[in-house]
Amino acid sequence: METGRRRGDRVRPRGAGLGGWRATPWGRLRYLLVAHTLGATLRPGRRSSVLDIGGGDGGDAIPLARQGHEVTIVDSARELLLRARDGAAAAGVDARVRTVHADLEELSADPLPGGIDAGYDLVLCHNVVQYSADVAATVATAVRMARRGGTVSVVAPNPAMDVLAAAVRRADPDAALDLLDADTVRSRTFGHDMHRVPCEAVESALREAGCPVTHRFGLRCVTDLIADEELKHDPAFFARLLRLETALCDREEFWHTARFWQLLAVRD
C-alpha cells in the first residue's frame, strides 16, 4: 500500500533506464553484493524494521522482505514505487512492503509523512547523497530515522573508480586526468550530473550525527575495469566474478577504489 501526499522535488533524479540497468550483470552484482554486506548487521531469524530512503523500485528492499523483514520504501518517483509494489507482489511479500511517496526533505520535518515513525532497526540511504546539495543534512536525516543502536547503510559511487575506469578500461588518460579533481560526473543511467562524494566526507557526517562507522565495503572492486562486456553476460564467468567480488568487498586495499563505497554505521 502506498501512502503520502503529493510531493515536489524528487529525492534524486530518475532515469527510464533504471530497470534495464538492474538486469545487467553489473547491476545484478551491485544488488547481490549489498544483500551480502547487509548480512553484517541483520541477524538471521530476527524480524527487523527497515526504512529504504530513495528506495525506488525495491531493488534492495524486496530481498530483505523475502528474509522476513518489514520494509518501508520512501521515494518521490511514483512510477518506481508502483514497480516496487508489483515486485513485492510477484515475490509474495507485499504484506511486508509499504511504500510512501515523499521527498527526502520531508523526513527531516514534523510530522513525518505517510504515518512513518522514526526508530528503524536499519535505514538504507543508497545512491542518494551524490544528488544532495547538503550531504551532511542528508546523512543527519538518515540517522534521525534509526533507533538507538540501529544501523544506517550509505552507498554512493566512488570517485576513484571514475578515474581508474577512464584510464584502464577506456584507455583515455586525458579523460582520467580531467576527472581527477572534477566536482561532478554525468550519470549515464539517470541522465543527470552527480556530485563526486568521497566516503570520508560521509563517514565524518555520520560521526558528527552520532552514528560512528562500524563496517566499510567496496561494491564491484574489479568488474568496472573489465572491458569485455559480453564476457560478463556469460553465466559461468558471472558466477566466478561474483565469488571474487564477494571475497574482495571488505578488504581495505580493494574497497578504496571500488565502483561504489558502502558504509555501515550504528547510532549511539
Side-chain angles (χ1 to χ4, degrees):
M1 179 179 180
E2 180 186 337
T3 59
R5 305 184 300 277
R6 182 175 179 82
R7 309 301 172 191
D9 293 337
R10 293 181 168 188
V11 168
R12 60 183 176 187
R14 295 296 188 178
L18 178 59
W21 181 84
R22 278 188 57 197
T24 64
W26 38 97
R28 289 166 55 208
L29 275 169
R30 179 263 187 242
Y31 286 100
L32 288 169
L33 288 165
V34 165
H36 168 74
T37 59
L38 290 179
T41 188
L42 291 172
R43 299 178 189 172
R46 175 187 172 185
R47 179 174 293 185
S48 297
S49 60
V50 181
L51 178 67
D52 191 354
I53 298 172
D57 60 357
D60 286 323
I62 291 173
L64 294 174
R66 285 198 196 101
Q67 296 173 24
H69 305 297
E70 300 287 340
V71 178
T72 299
I73 303 171
V74 176
D75 205 288
S76 60
R78 193 181 295 278
E79 66 275 18
L80 292 182
L81 294 177
L82 288 171
R83 291 188 212 171
R85 294 203 299 279
D86 288 345
V93 295
D94 46 314
R96 292 196 293 274
V97 176
R98 182 165 72 111
T99 62
V100 177
H101 184 222
D103 286 336
L104 175 66
E105 290 79 4
E106 293 174 86
L107 295 182
S108 61
D110 288 310
L112 289 166
I116 294 175
D117 292 318
Y120 288 86
D121 296 315
L122 173 63
V123 176
L124 308 182
C125 187
H126 294 175
N127 288 319
V128 172
V129 295
Q130 68 266 33
Y131 296 112
S132 173
D134 189 337
V135 170
T138 297
V139 169
T141 296
V143 172
R144 176 198 184 203
M145 303 307 297
R147 65 169 174 80
R148 300 284 180 182
T151 298
V152 176
S153 172
V154 187
V155 172
N158 189 348
M161 181 54 84
D162 297 332
V163 178
L164 289 176
V168 177
R169 178 177 167 178
R170 300 197 297 275
D172 191 342
D174 294 331
L177 188 60
D178 288 341
L179 284 167
L180 190 59
D181 295 313
D183 293 326
T184 62
V185 67
R186 190 75 171 174
S187 167
R188 290 182 294 177
T189 301
F190 299 124
H192 289 269
D193 287 340
M194 303 183 297
H195 299 291
R196 301 177 72 229
V197 183
C199 66
E200 293 83 2
V202 172
E203 182 163 354
S204 175
L206 285 164
R207 186 169 56 251
E208 288 297 318
C211 195
V213 169
T214 57
H215 296 79
R216 300 167 184 83
F217 299 104
L219 310 177
R220 298 200 332 232
C221 295
V222 296
T223 298
D224 292 70
L225 298 176
I226 300 172
D228 189 341
E229 303 287 43
E230 290 302 316
L231 187 59
K232 298 172 191 176
H233 287 271
D234 177 78
F237 181 80
F238 180 86
R240 291 161 56 202
L241 188 58
L242 176 59
R243 286 196 298 270
L244 175 62
E245 291 284 12
T246 303
L248 297 178
C249 69
D250 62 349
R251 300 199 180 198
E252 183 173 1
E253 64 268 35
F254 296 104
W255 68 254
H256 277 296
T257 56
R259 172 62 282 180
F260 299 93
W261 52 257
Q262 179 183 15
L263 300 175
L264 298 185
V266 174
R267 184 177 179 187
D268 291 337

